Amino acid sequence: MLIQTADRCTQQHIQLLVIGCVNSYQNKLISIQYKAVNKLLRQYLQQKGIHYIDVFPAMEAKKAAGELLFLEDNYHLSTAGHAVLAEELYRSSSKTVHALTSL
């Protein structure tokens, strides 16, 4: 399904972006496996020319600092969680724009 979506985006001249982010419940279940799965996902997407942003490390750092990143349902992002996501998207898009304008 991901490849079909990527193909459709390419046909329409749309840049596909995949964002790696987990909810609070999944966050409790993730251990060392996350790094291995994330590495494989990143490599696969890179081979397919699909841009990937991994928000998990930034969220983990904020969580460790005591930020509440999810609402009480442990699924939806809180205001602080949205701020982390926005910050990572901005940082990634700034790098992409800089790389493109440097060509």
Side-chain angles (χ1 to χ4, degrees), residues 33-96:
Q33 291 177 352
Y34 169 79
K35 290 181 181 180
V37 170
N38 188 55
K39 182 178 178 181
L40 289 173
L41 179 61
R42 182 181 299 279
Q43 289 172 344
Y44 177 77
L45 294 173
Q46 188 174 31
Q47 288 173 355
K48 299 298 181 186
I50 300 171
H51 190 66
Y52 177 63
I53 300 174
D54 183 15
V55 180
F56 187 74
M59 294 191 82
E60 278 292 288
K62 293 288 185 174
K63 180 182 168 193
E67 297 265 356
L68 298 175
L69 303 176
F70 295 91
L71 300 177
E72 290 180 14
D73 66 3
N74 287 324
Y75 188 77
H76 293 94
L77 291 172
S78 66
T79 302
H82 278 98
V84 173
L85 180 59
E87 194 174 296
E88 292 302 303
L89 288 172
Y90 176 77
R91 184 181 355 219
S92 177
S93 64
S94 295
K95 288 179 186 176
T96 302

